Amino acid sequence: MLDKIDRKIIQATQAGLPLTPQPYQAIAEQLGLTSDDIMMRLSAMQNSGIIRRIGAVPNHYKLGYRFNGMTVWNVPDEAIDELGQKVGQLEFVSHCYHRPRHLPEWPYNLFAMVHGKSQEEVDKQIQQIYDLLGGNNLGWDILYSTKILKKTGFRSSSARKSNDNQTVTD
Amino acid sequence: MDEIDKQIINALQNGFPICDAPYQQVAVQLGLTEQDLITRLKALLDNGTLTRFGPLFNAEQMGGALTLAAVKAPKERFDEIAEIINAFPEIAHNYARNHELNMWFVIATETPEQVRQTISAIEQQTGLSVYNMPKNKEYFVNLNLKA
């Protein structure tokens, strides 16, 4: 579990890592810790999955990915875990989840986000998922995002209590 | 954005070292100087090519609750509905999508109970049914877009 110091480190890095040659040292000085403390705790949080990774998050559109689709599939419940693992491994799929159906109007239980620079590219991606699912595909749809209505980071509970910074997850 | 910027974006999506001089380590791998890497990274953040650089946290692992939900917003009320939903601080993302379920949003709260409360409040204020689709299982999450 996270302790107080972990939460301080999370708050201090929510806006991003310092762009200075020794970023962990900079965080350490800000918090009155040593850079070894910071590095050990960040590593531990990364190993336990609290930090998915340390890295850069691009704006899809700025990189030319204008076609961002949520593909949704109706697959048999008994096969979904195996199929979900396979679909998630396709290199163009960024997120893949099992979610509940809302019958009768929403029969889809497998969600996979795909990203392409052209309609043609996304069509090929859908075809690959379609082929992979084969006879287990009982129906599918794709929902393109047409507009971002709101986009913020997620706030961590510790941060929300103490300040208004935001924690970004993916 | 030139070829070097693209290499930086591609490299930094895959992770960043935890060591005393991590920019130096990445710069060497890319054949750049440390200062050059830092300057370019700052420019990519300033011009919005990168939305963020740092640790990406898993909200649920931190004790929070998350769900994906959708509504069918009638065309003539679309903007009004978006305004009502976006006003909740618990709404992290909200996207318009081309489907009868045309508004899809992520609710992020401290507890599962607050997710339920937010959904009821949205239903009450909009008069619409909220389709709640929390994940049963996560198979893969890693947004990695080649620049």
Side-chain angles (χ1 to χ4, degrees):
Chain A
M1 269 317 288
L2 297 172
D3 67 12
K4 224 171 132 184
I5 296 174
D6 290 328
R7 293 192 179 272
K8 276 189 178 174
I9 294 171
I10 291 169
Q11 285 180 40
T13 55
Q14 289 187 94
L17 276 190
L19 297 172
T20 54
Q22 295 181 295
Y24 306 116
Q25 176 66 32
I27 297 163
E29 283 168 14
Q30 190 190 325
L31 299 179
L33 298 165
T34 68
S35 62
D36 279 345
D37 290 333
I38 303 293
M39 291 192 286
M40 275 168 49
R41 283 169 178 273
L42 285 174
S43 296
M45 285 192 268
Q46 193 160 298
N47 291 336
S48 68
I50 288 168
I51 294 175
R52 289 185 187 275
R53 67 192 159 105
I54 300 175
V57 181
N59 176 327
H60 309 190
Y61 292 91
K62 292 262 185 180
L63 297 189
Y65 291 85
R66 293 189 302 116
F67 297 83
N68 301 291
M70 181 170 78
T71 70
V72 292
W73 309 82
N74 178 6
V75 303
D77 287 333
E78 59 275 17
I80 193 168
D81 285 344
E82 190 194 336
L83 296 169
Q85 296 289 351
K86 286 184 183 166
V87 171
Q89 278 166 28
L90 296 169
E91 42 102 20
F92 51 81
V93 171
S94 68
H95 300 75
C96 186
Y97 298 105
H98 175 194
R99 296 186 183 278
R101 298 184 177 93
H102 287 262
L103 294 171
E105 50 188 323
W106 186 263
Y108 311 112
N109 55 348
L110 182 64
F111 288 55
M113 299 295 307
V114 300
H115 308 275
K117 294 183 177 180
S118 65
Q119 185 68 59
E120 197 192 358
E121 189 180 356
V122 173
D123 288 344
K124 279 186 190 155
Q125 294 171 346
I126 295 167
Q127 185 68 47
Q128 280 191 58
I129 300 176
Y130 187 94
D131 291 345
L132 192 157
L133 295 178
N136 284 312
N137 174 14
L138 309 175
W140 69 282
D141 203 348
I142 179 165
L143 285 73
Y144 289 100
S145 59
T146 52
K147 195 177 177 192
I148 299 174
L149 302 170
K150 182 175 183 182
K151 189 170 187 177
T152 67
F154 299 152
R155 296 168 187 200
S156 76
S157 43
S158 59
R160 204 183 303 172
K161 281 168 192 151
S162 54
N163 64 39
D164 209 33
N165 283 341
Q166 298 189 333
T167 302
V168 178
T169 62
D170 65 355
Chain B
M1 189 171 57
D2 62 13
E3 283 307 313
I4 295 172
D5 288 331
K6 288 183 182 177
Q7 283 178 23
I8 291 172
I9 294 167
N10 291 338
L12 291 182
Q13 284 185 82
N14 289 322
F16 191 66
I18 299 177
C19 61
D20 281 323
Y23 294 106
Q24 174 66 25
Q25 187 176 319
V26 174
V28 167
Q29 286 162 10
L30 295 174
L32 301 170
T33 67
E34 181 184 55
Q35 195 48 54
D36 202 15
L37 173 62
I38 289 175
T39 305
R40 282 174 176 269
L41 189 51
K42 184 169 188 317
L44 291 168
L45 284 161
D46 286 345
N47 69 25
T49 305
L50 296 178
T51 57
R52 195 162 183 282
F53 175 68
L56 295 168
F57 299 99
N58 183 335
E60 284 153 325
Q61 293 262 1
M62 290 164 58
L66 269 188
T67 197
L68 175 69
V71 294
K72 296 176 181 173
K75 264 203 187 93
E76 66 281 5
R77 292 185 63 204
F78 191 89
D79 292 343
E80 176 211 336
I81 302 288
E83 207 170 304
I84 293 172
I85 291 175
N86 290 350
F88 285 86
E90 292 85 1
I91 304 299
H93 303 163
N94 187 5
Y95 287 88
R97 294 192 181 275
N98 62 340
H99 188 271
E100 201 187 342
L101 283 165
N102 55 0
M103 203 179 290
W104 289 75
F105 44 94
V106 170
I107 303 174
T109 64
E110 287 170 36
T111 65
E113 179 53 27
Q114 288 168 322
V115 169
R116 286 191 287 274
Q117 288 166 355
T118 305
I119 288 174
S120 327
I122 290 171
E123 289 189 326
Q124 212 162 41
Q125 291 183 29
T126 60
L128 301 174
S129 294
V130 171
Y131 292 69
N132 186 20
M133 303 192 201
K135 71 178 178 198
N136 296 332
K137 196 156 184 186
E138 174 182 302
Y139 300 114
F140 184 79
V141 173
N142 187 13
L143 181 61
N144 194 336
L145 300 172
K146 194 170 179 298

